[in-house]
Amino acid sequence: MKKKEHNYSKNSPKVYIRTYGCQMNEYDSEIMAGLLNNSGYHLTDNLEEAKIIILNTCYVREKVKHRIYSRLGELRKLKGKKPDLILGLSGCLVQREPEEVLHRAPYLDFILGTSNFYQLPEVLEEISGNDNREKQVKKRCTRVVRAEENRTIPEGLPILRKSKFSAFVSIMRGCNNFCSYCNVPYVRGREVSRSSREILREIEELAQKGYKEVTLLGQNVNSYGKDLSGDQDFADLLIQVNRVKGIRRIRFTTSHPKDLSDKLIDQMARLDKVCEHFHLPVQSGSNKILSRMKRGYTRKHYQNLVDKLRQAIPEITLTTDIIVGFPGEEEEDFRNTLELVETVGFDGAFTFCYSPLRGTEAAQSEERIPAEISGERLRRLIELQQAILLKKNKSLVGRKFEVMVEGISKKNPDEVEGRTRGNKIIIFPGGKNLIGRFIWVEIVKAGCWALRGMVLSRDEKTSRHNPKSIYSDGEELS
Ligand code: SF4
């Protein structure tokens, strides 16, 4: 008999969860959803019908914080109309400044930090049975355990994943790097790796349920295992995950250039399920700025890594993160960044204007770059990156790729979209029946953000463009 996935009944309270930020936060929301589902709550995408609303917050930029408070302001009005509505906040913003959150939004019924959101069902139960929510304010605040004190990752938690074929799997939490602009070490604590036994158990279970792709998550996966007894590193973990039958694609994010080892590059080239895509945040092409950012590498080191990756895996696609307008960035520093972008030829870049984040070292700098200059640099950077990307994508026309279909195209219900192993998005004609399947397509048109494809017949499909695509356990490629 098929195992029931939902544990709610018709009268179960409905919960709406909105996630802000990165994949790590998405993963935490999936755990919250799993915990709630196990406790008999009903997850909904419809805010209007929700009895409980949770915003799982991010605090990577001040702008995001403003967006969250403005959303809270709207929800306060909703709460005015529906006094029984339970409103809660979780995640990085709460972890960083619980007192301020409660000061600015005293109408919140609960807050939970990144290190104790696992207590959600218990907290909801307490709130539902309490008539005087106001009195709980102090308790709500002290529930947020200091991130740096939290050295354990609870295992065996239920996870209600959005996708039925592609899953995030956290392999570690926290970060030890203290880049001068970032607050992750404060909101997620220091690095704690999960045991490889637990990670493999989770991935094997996923494979048994029919999942085909896993993305291993960590703030810096390259330093996986450093805190564990034994000498297992991230490359060793990949070797083990590569052996899990049923899993066909392995991805990971994020990597820190200073911890990327030759061993990892060698294993990436060798392991058939590890996809040919590397997200390697560079942040700046200027050594002066890299040093101010406390990144721990130089531009030359980064370029050497790119060369090694391309030599070992010629088909690899590279994506990155870049910040412009960092305090003290002069025109020459910025030009160094443009030069690096041109030399490397990234397949994608998340580009941002620097915005000071309270409590970080860089926020104290007096060498702020005026917004007009940062904005103008960002525009130039985006223009260059788009031109590079378009050229690269155009060179793919006529090439054949295996695509894992992720869903119906947002723009056209008669088309589907999916990703190549190199993480390129391809849109092609098809319907719901293709979702979760591997399809071979030929690229017929290229744009900046997506490529258009044509489905290949059985005879036309080929693996010649994938140097490692020898699947021993593969289902028939349609
Ligand atoms: S490596 Fe730096 S930017 Fe990345 S999470 Fe750690 S501190 Fe933040």
Side-chain angles (χ1 to χ4, degrees), residues 175-179 181-185 219-220 256 283 295:
C175 182
N176 291 352
N177 287 315
F178 292 92
C179 298
Y181 53 87
C182 177
N183 69 14
V184 165
Q219 242 77 41
N220 177 15
H256 195 301
Q283 308 299 7
R295 291 289 289 170

Side-chain angles (χ1 to χ4, degrees), residues 79 86-88 98-99 102-103 105-112 116 119-144:
K79 203 166 157 55
I86 294 176
L87 190 56
E99 286 87 2
L102 285 179
H103 176 71
Y107 47 87
L108 281 169
D109 294 294
F110 69 91
I111 58 171
L112 283 170
N116 68 332
Q119 298 167 354
L120 180 58
E122 184 192 314
V123 168
L124 285 177
E125 202 172 311
E126 261 176 42
I127 292 169
S128 316
N130 194 306
D131 293 337
N132 194 348
R133 293 186 196 165
E134 287 294 305
K135 280 191 179 162
Q136 294 217 326
V137 172
K138 201 154 184 290
K139 196 171 168 192
R140 281 182 259 156
C141 194
T142 50
R143 270 187 186 282
V144 181

Side-chain angles (χ1 to χ4, degrees), residues 187-247:
V187 295
R188 297 233 169 226
R190 308 298 173 271
E191 286 168 7
V192 185
S193 304
R194 285 178 75 193
S195 84
S196 58
R197 194 168 29 89
E198 289 298 338
I199 297 167
L200 289 166
R201 185 193 50 74
E202 186 175 335
I203 296 174
E204 275 156 13
E205 269 177 34
L206 287 166
Q208 277 159 22
K209 287 182 184 161
Y211 281 81
K212 301 284 179 222
E213 178 182 81
V214 287
T215 302
L216 309 179
L217 293 181
Q219 242 77 41
N220 177 15
V221 292
N222 296 153
S223 64
Y224 171 81
K226 283 185 183 165
D227 58 313
L228 295 174
S229 56
D231 55 3
Q232 192 182 43
D233 62 16
F234 183 55
D236 298 322
L237 180 69
L238 280 183
I239 296 171
Q240 288 176 288
V241 178
N242 200 69
R243 290 192 196 122
V244 178
K245 240 178 168 294
I247 296 298

Side-chain angles (χ1 to χ4, degrees), residues 148-300:
E148 51 273 37
E149 286 164 13
N150 196 49
R151 300 289 306 160
T152 50
I153 300 180
E155 292 295 349
L157 295 172
I159 306 177
L160 196 62
R161 293 185 158 89
K162 282 192 181 141
S163 167
K164 297 275 173 266
F165 46 87
S166 175
F168 293 134
V169 176
S170 162
I171 62 164
M172 62 194 296
R173 284 184 173 266
C175 182
N176 291 352
N177 287 315
F178 292 92
C179 298
S180 63
Y181 53 87
C182 177
N183 69 14
V184 165
Y186 309 104
V187 295
R188 297 233 169 226
R190 308 298 173 271
E191 286 168 7
V192 185
S193 304
R194 285 178 75 193
S195 84
S196 58
R197 194 168 29 89
E198 289 298 338
I199 297 167
L200 289 166
R201 185 193 50 74
E202 186 175 335
I203 296 174
E204 275 156 13
E205 269 177 34
L206 287 166
Q208 277 159 22
K209 287 182 184 161
Y211 281 81
K212 301 284 179 222
E213 178 182 81
V214 287
T215 302
L216 309 179
L217 293 181
Q219 242 77 41
N220 177 15
V221 292
N222 296 153
S223 64
Y224 171 81
K226 283 185 183 165
D227 58 313
L228 295 174
S229 56
D231 55 3
Q232 192 182 43
D233 62 16
F234 183 55
D236 298 322
L237 180 69
L238 280 183
I239 296 171
Q240 288 176 288
V241 178
N242 200 69
R243 290 192 196 122
V244 178
K245 240 178 168 294
I247 296 298
R248 287 178 58 169
R249 287 184 174 187
I250 303 168
R251 301 186 186 277
F252 55 85
T253 195
T254 286
S255 295
H256 195 301
K258 81 174 165 49
D259 297 313
L260 170 51
S261 65
D262 289 351
K263 179 178 169 187
L264 177 60
I265 297 176
D266 287 350
Q267 289 305 329
M268 272 193 80
R270 208 179 61 76
L271 299 171
D272 63 339
K273 296 174 183 175
V274 178
C275 291
E276 298 80 20
H277 169 229
F278 212 109
H279 184 71
L280 194 59
V282 65
Q283 308 299 7
S284 172
S286 150
N287 286 338
K288 179 186 101 187
I289 298 300
L290 286 172
S291 153
R292 287 183 179 207
M293 288 176 165
K294 300 223 157 129
R295 291 289 289 170
Y297 55 85
T298 59
R299 173 178 161 173
K300 188 157 179 244

